[in-house]
Amino acid sequence: MIKVYTSSVIEAPADAVWAQLRDFNGLPKWTPFVAESRIEGGLAADKIGCVRNFRLKDGGVIREQLLTLSDYDYQCSYSILESPMGVENYVATLKLTPVTDGNRTFAEWWAEFDCAPERERELAQQIGQGVFQGAFDSLKSLLRR
Amino acid sequence: MIRVTRSAVIDAPIDRVWELLRDFNSHSAWHPAVGESRIENGEPADQVGCVRNFFLKDGNHIREQLLALSDRDHLSTYCILDATLPMKHYVATVQLKHVTDGDRTFWHWQSTFEVPRGREQEFQELVGKGVYEGGFEGLRAFLRRGGAASPRVPNADAAQGQAVVATAFGGPEVLRFESLPVKAPGPGEVRIRQTAVGVNYIDVYVRKGLYRMIEPPAAIGMEAAGTVFDVGPGVAHLLPGDRVAYACPPPGAYVTLRTLAADQVVPLPDHVSDEVAAALMLKGMTAEYLLHRTHRLQPGHSVLVHAAAGGVGLLLCQWAKALGAKVIGTVSSEDKARVARANGCDFPIVTGNYRFAADVKNLTSGRGADVIYDGLGREAANQNLDALAFTGHWVSYGQASGAHDAFPDLSSKSGTLSRPVLFHYTAERARLNEIAGNVFKALKEKIIQVTVLHRYPLAAAAEAHRDLEARRTTGSIVLLP
């Protein structure tokens, strides 16, 4: 089991950041690498247990299931059901905390998963920097004041 | 039950910040409200259960006990055992988290407690602002100083300084260089040993009495840079030795040593020299708010900058160009047109009689300018309305040719008029820090620059004014104490 942790500061109030992140079907709106997304079975995107089925711009398809959604804690967890990444038991959590000094947002994103030992470094880098930090960067420019 | 939560981002690695916060007795070194502190019974400061016994600088006495300490979670929890303040059941938690993006530290500080009915608001403020926000500022200042010396108690006595004083309203000859006692900083004040003083045209207006901002005899000048000499009670964001700058009323910057409101003073980053700061604070912050706050300039906008080779004009051209605008300027000579062009002005219009509207329309296919930055005033009013695009924004921030009696009817263009004043934008310290921070960043990224710098000794301020009024200088002037 390895753990990847990425955190950043977004120059916008936590409510505004959460408005983007809480939509489990909203990845195409704020990440640079998702082409299209839908919720399977026509469920609401905030129904716990719903599955988002999305296609990356490079063609790969990923299915992820919503495990936790908390408007009170600004927190969301999900697991990967299917992906081309070669990971097992993948559970990720996104969490926002208001920064009162400057009315900004501290954003954390971490994941735990199993994979082939020789791929640990590569996957940690790809997920921590490529996916999580890449998405934070795109969120930062989207919400720039 | 009151709950107080404050959080901040500290520009230092988490290990550096935690090294300080895990030490239960370190607060007297970095917290501006904390006086003497000791751990009772000689116990180590990281022993769970130990008690810190300390005085606040306002005289209150508090005993607090460490309840939990975790190096793994960067977390410390403590409670108040006894206090001369009427707080009960106070339990607080400090937690740090690593900001991997930029290797910084997120600091979360939270407590719950009870106070007598009716005093909730007072204690929200005291704990939230005085203790937590004051602590953030104090720790930042402590780290900036390389973790050295806690704030010095201000010297109670006035110190001797020298000042350029306007002895009456009038020409440059009314300026005299005199000795002046400078009082010790009171609550919320800072005393600065100044190293460079900026000269602006507003100083001439103040000296002449056109802007009644002083009653002679009094020192003039709006901006300067230097080093903090000492700070008064309640000042958390500055420490003796910090390099700082300011641009604010009231006048009085033409001095060697000055005491003023600390709220208007910002720390200088290493890459900004004292001379550049003194030359740039007022004009740079003016350009910043005009382009980003009064009007949010967008790429592709047509912008008209009057006096495009003047101090603010050059900065507006440089910055507007970098923002992707089409920059049209007015100047009074071919020489100034060359200077403006070299600083980002795409189309300098040479005009000596405030006639430019026809040229502006030609340059914009008849549309006119989306935004006009107007420091000209009365004489150019009708031409400005003519040069404005439909739904355009006319920003009148100065009145070199005389104050407007009345503005023309804007309904002919569905125009918007703004009459901004820098000091309203910088009145709050958070906004001031943002604006000054953006100016320093733009300097670092070479989006703006100070083109020419004329230096005069402080005692020769009258000569500097003569040269400024005779237009013998281009660019910025600084006086050196």
Side-chain angles (χ1 to χ4, degrees):
Chain A
M1 178 71 68
I2 67 168
K3 183 171 175 175
V4 175
Y5 176 86
T6 301
S7 55
S8 185
V9 179
I10 315 288
E11 295 291 333
D15 280 335
V17 183
W18 183 243
Q20 296 287 335
L21 301 191
R22 92 177 288 284
D23 180 2
F24 196 54
N25 195 32
L27 291 179
K29 282 187 295 189
W30 63 276
T31 63
F33 31 73
V34 175
E36 57 183 6
S37 171
R38 65 183 176 86
I39 302 290
E40 295 181 357
L43 296 178
D46 50 6
K47 178 171 168 43
I48 297 301
C50 75
V51 175
R52 65 181 172 197
N53 184 318
F54 59 95
R55 195 168 52 77
L56 301 173
K57 287 186 178 157
D58 68 13
V61 170
I62 300 182
R63 293 177 67 236
E64 290 175 340
Q65 184 165 35
L66 182 63
L67 303 178
T68 310
L69 186 70
S70 169
D71 285 329
Y72 185 71
D73 296 313
Y74 297 123
Q75 186 165 331
C76 163
S77 307
Y78 57 91
S79 62
I80 289 184
L81 302 179
E82 277 178 56
S83 86
M85 288 155 58
V87 295
E88 300 283 336
N89 306 315
Y90 179 105
V91 176
T93 301
L94 244 173
K95 178 173 170 58
L96 306 180
T97 312
V99 182
T100 61
D101 180 29
N103 195 17
R104 302 177 286 168
T105 303
F106 175 56
E108 300 173 273
W109 201 343
W110 65 92
E112 289 182 317
F113 56 89
D114 295 311
C115 66
E118 67 276 12
R119 295 195 62 216
E120 281 185 359
R121 278 174 71 106
E122 172 210 340
L123 275 170
Q125 174 71 19
Q126 187 191 333
I127 292 169
Q129 286 307 304
V131 180
F132 296 172
Q133 185 59 43
F136 281 151
D137 286 342
S138 130
L139 197 58
K140 282 197 271 188
S141 51
L142 193 69
L143 294 172
R144 181 173 296 149
R145 284 194 272 224
Chain B
M1 177 83 80
I2 298 183
R3 177 188 295 270
V4 177
T5 305
R6 291 292 191 279
S7 51
V9 177
I10 306 293
D11 217 350
I14 189 167
D15 289 343
R16 180 76 184 97
V17 181
W18 181 241
E19 179 190 358
L20 289 166
L21 294 190
R22 81 182 295 286
D23 177 350
F24 199 48
N25 199 38
S26 73
H27 59 165
S28 62
W30 54 267
H31 200 298
V34 174
E36 250 178 87
S37 174
R38 64 183 178 83
I39 302 284
E40 294 181 358
N41 305 320
E43 288 179 337
D46 55 1
Q47 180 167 329
V48 173
C50 76
V51 175
R52 66 182 176 195
N53 186 321
F54 62 99
F55 288 89
L56 294 176
K57 287 189 180 152
D58 65 10
N60 277 297
H61 180 201
I62 301 178
R63 290 176 68 235
E64 289 178 337
Q65 184 168 36
L66 184 63
L67 301 179
L69 185 69
S70 166
D71 284 334
R72 181 176 156 79
D73 299 320
H74 301 106
L75 181 139
S76 160
T77 299
Y78 58 94
C79 67
I80 290 182
L81 297 179
D82 304 299
T84 50
L85 294 161
M87 301 164 75
K88 283 192 173 155
H89 308 127
Y90 176 96
V91 179
T93 295
V94 161
Q95 182 163 27
L96 303 183
K97 288 196 171 181
H98 184 199
V99 183
T100 59
D101 182 6
D103 196 14
R104 294 168 289 169
T105 303
F106 172 69
W107 176 353
H108 195 256
W109 202 344
Q110 188 168 63
S111 60
T112 54
F113 56 95
E114 283 160 53
V115 295
R117 197 187 297 272
R119 299 186 69 182
E120 293 85 356
Q121 191 60 34
E122 173 195 344
F123 277 87
Q124 278 274 359
E125 293 272 309
L126 175 78
V127 174
K129 288 208 164 105
V131 181
Y132 298 174
E133 290 176 16
F136 297 151
E137 291 280 12
L139 193 105
R140 283 185 181 125
F142 183 81
L143 290 172
R144 269 204 311 276
R145 297 269 296 159
S150 57
R152 197 156 27 118
V153 176
N155 305 309
D157 304 327
Q160 201 60 27
Q162 289 167 305
V164 174
V165 171
T167 52
F169 292 130
E173 70 283 353
V174 303
L175 299 180
R176 297 277 162 74
F177 192 55
E178 296 177 351
S179 285
L180 193 78
V182 180
K183 73 178 181 79
E189 289 185 329
V190 58
R191 186 156 50 180
I192 300 171
R193 190 171 287 293
Q194 303 198 139
T195 51
V197 177
V199 175
N200 294 282
Y201 222 88
I202 187 176
D203 303 344
V204 172
Y205 295 143
V206 172
R207 188 203 70 211
K208 286 179 172 171
L210 296 177
Y211 290 176
R212 291 298 285 257
M213 297 173 76
I214 58 162
E215 283 310 317
I220 61 169
M222 306 304 293
E223 65 177 334
T227 305
V228 173
F229 183 65
D230 49 6
V231 297
V235 177
H237 69 292
L238 300 172
L239 283 174
D242 282 353
R243 293 179 56 243
V244 293
Y246 64 86
C248 63
Y254 286 17
V255 294
T256 56
L257 191 64
R258 184 170 189 199
T259 298
L260 79 166
D263 262 358
Q264 286 294 311
V265 175
V266 297
L268 284 179
D270 291 342
H271 69 90
V272 181
S273 73
D274 294 8
E275 288 186 6
V276 165
L280 195 74
M281 284 295 283
L282 193 101
K283 299 182 196 64
M285 293 200 299
T286 300
E288 200 277 347
Y289 86 78
L290 288 174
L291 295 169
H292 300 90
R293 290 160 206 271
T294 311
H295 185 91
R296 287 168 184 249
L297 193 63
Q298 305 294 323
H301 272 185
S302 297
V303 45
L304 175 60
V305 176
H306 289 306
V312 175
L314 283 176
L315 294 171
L316 285 173
C317 289
Q318 293 168 359
W319 213 332
K321 181 73 180 169
L323 289 169
K326 173 174 180 173
V327 186
I328 304 167
T330 64
V331 291
S332 61
S333 70
E334 289 295 342
D335 278 349
K336 289 186 175 174
R338 271 190 290 279
V339 175
R341 198 176 284 116
N343 283 277
C345 182
D346 299 303
F347 305 102
I349 300 169
V350 180
T351 168
N353 57 1
Y354 302 116
R355 297 201 71 77
F356 48 80
D359 288 328
V360 173
K361 283 187 178 161
N362 284 338
L363 290 165
T364 53
S365 318
R367 278 190 75 240
D370 297 305
V371 53
I372 298 179
Y373 291 113
D374 170 24
L376 297 180
R378 188 170 55 207
E379 298 294 325
N382 288 321
Q383 284 278 307
N384 272 325
L385 183 63
D386 235 13
L388 192 66
F390 285 150
T391 73
H393 193 174
W394 179 0
V395 180
S396 166
Y397 72 96
Q399 323 186 53
S401 72
H404 289 282
D405 315 315
F407 281 89
D409 180 8
L410 290 156
S411 68
S412 65
K413 291 291 178 68
S414 297
T416 306
L417 175 73
S418 293
R419 298 292 313 279
V421 174
L422 169 66
F423 307 126
H424 300 159
Y425 286 81
T426 54
E428 277 178 43
R429 193 154 65 82
R431 290 291 92 72
L432 168 66
N433 284 340
E434 255 180 53
I435 294 176
N438 286 339
V439 171
F440 299 148
K441 186 159 169 274
L443 257 180
K444 190 171 192 180
E445 291 168 359
K446 298 203 177 358
I447 288 170
I448 57 168
Q449 44 199 320
V450 175
T451 40
V452 189
L453 206 57
H454 300 274
R455 300 177 180 82
Y456 295 77
L458 179 60
E463 193 187 328
H465 273 217
R466 274 187 206 101
D467 290 349
L468 177 66
E469 287 178 87
R471 308 201 174 275
R472 281 193 287 265
T473 60
T474 56
S476 304
I477 301 177
V478 292
L479 305 173
L480 303 177

